């Protein structure tokens, strides 16, 4: 892929066509890569973080507009530092030198051409897996472009109903897009491979955050996963850490945490469907402890 940023840009399903050489797109991204943090991260799933951490590279901007986003400073408010493709390649190698288990690209879609360019620059010296950590809201073409660059996919699967995805993330076509993207990811990875330390080195983990009042939507997603993807091809990571901290902008339905009844009904459905390979977060886990402090460390 050409490492020049697409301008006009059609990289994501928003397809906003912005001339990013002159202005920012819907995602709040301009022409240059922008990072907020590059550091070992210990709060991913155990087979990603391990004992030495995952080398998380947090990109600024986002193609979704989740009203409950815990990282608004970087997703919507533009916090970060602009860097070159060369510098991004150096950051990958610096993280590797710190002993992390993998390079974890967090919300990188908006910079896909440059990210692939940086991976090309680093590839002869980069010996750890590359994890693509994303919202699930990826064009199938984007996922195809990642073939050969990504070892582990770590997508969210957020919503089933268009009304819900429009209301909470301004993306009515979320499931239509994400279901196709996940199928392509599963086709590329073809199963789960672990190293001698139990770290995932190839495969896919599908993450789902259960939201208050949305258990039926969660259950519809689980049924789609069970029907559409072989259980051998992915792990499920069910999360209940939702905490309403962005009070001012939240709809009333999201001003509380998920109840035990709601979460247990989703967990029970996962078990009933045989989706038991993976992780089920314990209730009481607070989201705040999983949220990194964005301070340009490592950038
Ligand atoms: S990546 Fe950004 S600029 Fe490009 S189409 Fe998506 S929202 Fe628009």
């Amino acid at each position: 892929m050409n490492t020049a940023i697409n301008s006009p840009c059609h990289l994501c399903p928003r397809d906003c066509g912005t001339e990013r050489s002159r202005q920012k797109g819907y995602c709040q991204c301009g022409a240059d890569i922008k990072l907020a943090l590059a550091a070992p991260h210990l709060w991913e799933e155990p087979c990603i973080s391990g004992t030495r951490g995952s080398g998380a590279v947090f990109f600024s901007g986002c193609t979704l507009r989740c009203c409950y986003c815990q990282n608004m400073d970087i997703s919507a408010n533009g916090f970060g530092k602009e860097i070159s493709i060369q510098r991004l390649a150096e950051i990958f190698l610096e993280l590797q030198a710190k002993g992390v288990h993998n390079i974890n690209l967090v919300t990188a879609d908006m910079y896909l051409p440059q990210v692939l360019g940086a991976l090309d620059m680093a590839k002869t010296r980069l010996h750890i897996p590359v994890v693509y950590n994303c919202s699930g809201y990826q064009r199938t073409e984007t996922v195809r472009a990642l073939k050969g660059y990504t070892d582990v996919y770590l997508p969210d699967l957020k919503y089933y109903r268009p009304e819900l995805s429009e209301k909470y993330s301004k993306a009515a076509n979320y499931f239509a897009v994400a279901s196709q993207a996940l199928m392509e990811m599963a086709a590329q990875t073809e199963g789960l491979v672990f190293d001698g330390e139990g770290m995932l080195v190839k495969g896919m983990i599908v993450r789902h955050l259960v939201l208050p009042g949305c258990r039926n939507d969660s259950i519809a997603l689980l049924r789609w996963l069970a029907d559409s993807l072989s259980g051998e091809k992915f792990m499920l990571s069910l999360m209940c850490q939702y905490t309403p901290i962005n009070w001012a902008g939240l709809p009333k339905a999201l001003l509380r945490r998920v109840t035990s009844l709601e979460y247990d009904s989703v967990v029970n459905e996962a078990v009933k469907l045989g989706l038991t390979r993976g992780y089920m977060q314990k209730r009481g886990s607070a989201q705040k402890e999983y949220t990194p402090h964005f301070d340009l460390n490592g950038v």
Side-chain angles (χ1 to χ4, degrees):
M1 182 179 267
N2 188 333
T3 54
I5 190 70
N6 294 21
S7 189
C9 183
H10 305 286
L11 278 174
C12 86
R14 295 281 174 200
D15 204 12
C16 72
T18 299
E19 292 282 359
R20 285 176 56 178
S21 54
R22 290 192 283 114
Q23 62 190 92
K24 291 177 180 169
Y26 181 93
C27 55
Q28 293 303 304
C29 301
D32 293 321
I33 310 163
K34 208 184 217 190
L35 296 191
L37 176 67
H41 188 43
L42 288 163
W43 295 104
E44 306 287 25
E45 284 75 1
C47 68
I48 299 292
S49 281
T51 53
R52 302 189 299 277
S54 176
V57 180
F58 289 88
F59 292 83
S60 299
C62 188
T63 62
L64 288 178
R65 279 288 172 277
C66 304
C67 59
Y68 52 88
C69 179
Q70 308 286 311
N71 299 334
M72 285 285 190
D73 281 349
I74 67 166
S75 64
N77 298 337
F79 177 77
K81 179 180 168 189
E82 291 181 347
I83 61 163
S84 66
I85 297 173
Q86 173 77 45
R87 176 65 194 135
L88 183 59
E90 289 167 7
I91 286 170
F92 295 158
L93 297 170
E94 287 168 10
L95 284 168
Q96 177 175 254
K98 286 179 180 165
V100 296
H101 295 281
N102 44 57
I103 298 298
N104 183 350
L105 305 170
V106 187
T107 319
D109 311 336
M110 307 78 66
Y111 307 103
L112 183 73
Q114 299 105 311
V115 169
L116 298 188
L119 287 170
D120 277 335
M121 282 182 193
K123 70 180 172 193
T124 56
R125 289 168 291 158
L126 192 63
H127 308 301
I128 53 178
V130 173
V131 178
Y132 200 75
N133 186 338
C134 57
S135 65
Y137 196 54
Q138 279 75 47
R139 294 181 63 173
T140 311
E141 294 88 334
T142 301
V143 184
R144 286 199 194 112
L146 286 161
K147 190 172 182 178
Y149 289 91
T150 300
D151 302 289
V152 175
Y153 284 104
L154 196 51
D156 291 338
L157 187 58
K158 293 174 183 287
Y159 315 101
Y160 186 78
R161 286 189 303 123
E163 301 78 26
L164 201 60
S165 56
E166 174 62 23
K167 185 174 174 189
Y168 289 165
S169 294
K170 299 272 180 278
N173 62 348
Y174 177 86
F175 180 74
V177 167
S179 54
Q180 294 303 306
L182 264 64
M183 301 273 267
E184 173 62 25
M185 292 174 196
Q188 279 181 30
T189 50
E190 293 179 335
L192 299 162
V193 181
F194 297 87
D195 68 11
E197 293 181 283
M199 304 300 297
L200 187 63
V201 294
K202 189 172 180 220
M204 174 163 78
I205 302 177
V206 178
R207 286 174 162 171
H208 176 65
L209 175 68
V210 181
L211 291 171
C214 298
R215 67 178 165 140
N216 289 335
D217 202 76
S218 297
I219 287 170
L221 286 176
L222 295 180
R223 289 179 180 161
W224 175 80
L225 279 169
D227 284 348
S228 309
L229 298 179
S230 158
E232 302 299 309
K233 291 197 172 179
F234 71 100
M235 288 198 287
L236 177 66
S237 180
L238 268 184
M239 300 181 288
C240 59
Q241 69 198 44
Y242 172 76
T243 310
I245 61 170
N246 175 30
W247 298 93
L250 282 181
K252 198 173 167 204
L254 293 182
L255 291 174
R256 66 168 174 87
R257 298 196 65 188
V258 172
T259 65
S260 298
L261 178 79
E262 286 173 321
Y263 188 58
D264 290 350
S265 67
V266 177
V267 168
N268 290 342
E269 184 70 17
V271 172
K272 204 166 97 187
L273 292 165
L275 300 175
T276 51
R277 196 158 191 194
Y279 305 95
M280 292 179 187
Q281 202 172 43
K282 287 198 179 75
R283 258 187 57 77
S285 309
Q287 184 142 359
K288 219 172 168 186
E289 71 192 58
Y290 301 111
T291 307
H293 181 55
F294 297 110
D295 57 3
L296 303 180
N297 185 18
V299 178

